[in-house]
Amino acid sequence: MSTVLVTGGAGFIGSHTTLLLLEAGFEVVVVDNLSNSSIESLHRVEALTGKSITFYQTDIRDKAGLTEIFAKHKVDSVIHFAGLKAVGESNEIPLEYYDQNIYGTVNLLKVMESAGCYRMVFSSSATVYGDPASVPITEDFPTSATNPYGRTKLFIEEIMKDLSASNDRWNMVLLRYFNPIGAHKSGQIGEDPQGIPNNLMPFISQVAVGKREKLSIFGNDYPTPDGTGVRDYIHVVDLSDAHVKAVQKIGALGGISTFNLGTGNGYSVLQMVETFIKETGKSVPYEIVERRPGDIAECWADASLAKDKLGWTAVHGLSEMIEDTWRWQSQNPDGFK
Ligand code: NAD
Ligand code: UD1
């Protein structure tokens, strides 16, 4: 049985991917320092699948710790989610982002190389497209970054390309996520942001559950149909499924490949609020406020490359994404606590 090491496997996307990997028959080793997650997520994944996970509470910057883990397990591929991800925070503490995301990844790659493990799937982001000149976005669009978080994604992509060019034993897949939302159908695992959510969907659901008074909509004067920002929201289970396919196909793909993971549909903030209200029957008070600095008007994916090369396509529509988010939020108003 093939073993996948998942860094950041206790987090939002990592826990869903771990669940799907177990269901697909992989052995899973999770490495997570639990800085932004709870071990409870993995206990629930074990309960849902009836399978066990090998867990190490280890930081990806800990070379000795990682070396020991790779010595204990014959790891075939790594899926690398671990890292910091808050754009605003990255402007305040950039060194922490460079240390954890970039140094952490270099450290992980070095340990993998020493252990003879040459396969890595990496969590990149649509943020690497900066402010795109047009939509939908294909993988060959120019890349740029406007904040330290985005720069870490861009730099890590470049580091992985250099490594792949240096030695053709490396097989790498860069997955550029659009906007992941939703939760597993069981309502047992989902997104559990610490403090005030930065992203739209967790904010809406915390307003609906009564934890926050109202949503602030960041601007209604964008050049979009209703003036609010348009994004490509994708169900976290679809996103996770793409990781399973990437691990299954990484050897056949060879070298380094880059894929957009989105649905190809864009929804505005107001459409998200209206659909949420319709699907859940809850009220979501909101007010229009200033634009958030750094936000772009619209962004959605052309995901046809992932369809061609990975045989992957998103299957969940917006209603399901919202229903599943709400099941998780309403059953777990305080997340995993
Ligand atoms: P998350 O915070 O829920 O998961 C990240 C996990 O990594 C957490 O469990 C955290 O404890 C762990 N971690 C952080 N730093 C670590 C370190 N130094 N050593 C070991 N573990 C560490 O985030 P997520 O939403 O699941 O995102 C996963 C990945 O996907 C991240 O790399 C993120 O940048 C990327 N991404 C996320 C989104 C999104 O909207 N959620 C979009 C694009 C890309
Ligand atoms: C954010 C990140 C981006 C990351 C992406 C996916 C920022 C500036 N960018 O982008 O790097 O790749 O998530 O995780 O954080 N909105 C509101 N009110 C809110 C929250 C959001 O109106 O309280 C609006 C935003 O202006 C945007 C849309 O909702 O139009 C989606 O916002 P968000 O969920 O933060 O995602 P992105 O802006 O795409």
Side-chain angles (χ1 to χ4, degrees):
M1 199 185 301
S2 174
T3 300
V4 181
L5 184 143
V6 181
T7 74
F12 172 43
I13 308 169
S15 57
H16 287 82
T17 301
T18 296
L19 187 150
L20 264 60
L21 285 167
L22 292 171
E23 285 180 348
F26 290 95
E27 288 276 356
V28 182
V29 175
V30 169
V31 172
D32 197 306
N33 66 0
L34 301 181
S35 61
N36 196 38
S37 55
S38 159
I39 188 68
E40 176 63 15
S41 65
L42 294 178
H43 292 154
R44 294 192 185 182
V45 170
E46 288 183 321
L48 287 164
T49 57
K51 298 188 177 176
S52 59
I53 298 163
T54 308
F55 175 71
Y56 295 96
Q57 185 169 353
T58 301
D59 196 292
I60 54 166
R61 294 165 295 175
D62 173 0
K63 193 166 199 175
L66 285 186
T67 302
E68 213 173 294
I69 295 166
F70 277 85
K72 267 197 201 137
H73 303 273
K74 200 203 151 300
V75 176
D76 298 287
S77 311
V78 171
I79 304 183
H80 178 32
F81 293 107
L84 304 180
K85 62 164 189 176
V87 173
E89 183 188 67
S90 80
N91 286 310
E92 286 150 30
I93 48 167
L95 285 179
E96 203 54 38
Y97 275 69
Y98 292 127
D99 188 40
Q100 301 219 21
N101 294 8
I102 298 183
Y103 170 68
T105 302
V106 171
N107 190 48
L108 171 65
L109 287 164
K110 279 182 142 183
V111 172
M112 288 172 65
E113 191 170 47
S114 301
C117 174
Y118 292 98
R119 292 180 169 181
M120 182 151 108
V121 176
F122 174 62
S123 295
S124 189
S125 167
T127 194
V128 301
Y129 295 115
D131 194 351
S134 60
V135 275
I137 299 169
T138 50
E139 289 82 355
D140 54 2
F141 269 40
T143 54
S144 65
T146 53
N147 57 70
Y149 166 73
R151 247 181 303 280
T152 68
K153 293 296 178 193
L154 216 48
F155 288 170
I156 293 168
E157 287 200 359
E158 295 301 319
I159 290 166
M160 290 174 66
K161 285 177 196 164
D162 287 341
L163 197 53
S164 166
S166 74
N167 179 347
D168 58 16
R169 289 187 72 177
W170 281 102
N171 291 168
M172 320 267 212
V173 178
L174 308 176
L175 298 177
R176 293 177 176 163
Y177 313 158
F178 281 66
N179 291 61
I181 62 168
H184 187 254
K185 282 266 168 290
S186 62
Q188 289 290 302
I189 56 171
E191 188 170 11
D192 182 16
Q194 315 290 306
I196 302 168
N198 296 308
N199 297 116
L200 179 66
M201 197 65 217
F203 206 104
I204 293 180
S205 58
Q206 289 197 6
V207 170
V209 85
K211 286 186 79 174
R212 317 237 160 241
E213 191 193 332
K214 61 179 172 217
L215 170 73
S216 296
I217 294 185
F218 300 141
N220 66 351
D221 56 353
Y222 284 102
T224 60
D226 64 23
T228 64
V230 171
R231 297 290 185 276
D232 185 340
Y233 297 92
I234 172 164
H235 198 295
V236 64
V237 171
D238 281 331
L239 198 71
S240 298
D241 177 44
H243 291 72
V244 176
K245 293 195 160 70
V247 158
Q248 287 166 336
K249 302 232 158 109
I250 193 166
L253 287 166
I256 187 158
S257 321
T258 305
F259 299 111
N260 283 342
L261 298 181
T263 64
N265 301 310
Y267 293 99
S268 74
V269 179
L270 282 171
Q271 281 177 311
M272 294 299 286
V273 172
E274 281 154 16
T275 313
F276 191 96
I277 293 169
K278 186 173 122 244
E279 292 298 330
T280 65
K282 304 301 289 184
S283 70
V284 181
Y286 66 82
E287 64 175 340
I288 308 289
V289 301
E290 289 292 289
R291 289 183 180 190
R292 180 171 63 182
D295 272 1
I296 57 175
E298 50 185 9
C299 170
W300 67 89
D302 178 330
S304 47
L305 194 63
K307 188 173 181 191
D308 289 351
K309 303 280 185 201
L310 293 179
W312 172 87
T313 188
V315 297
H316 297 85
L318 185 60
S319 301
E320 257 179 295
M321 298 186 215
I322 288 176
E323 259 173 47
D324 295 342
T325 300
W326 181 239
R327 188 177 305 106
W328 153 254
Q329 179 71 70
S330 54
Q331 290 178 8
N332 305 269
D334 295 315
F336 289 109
K337 277 172 216 81

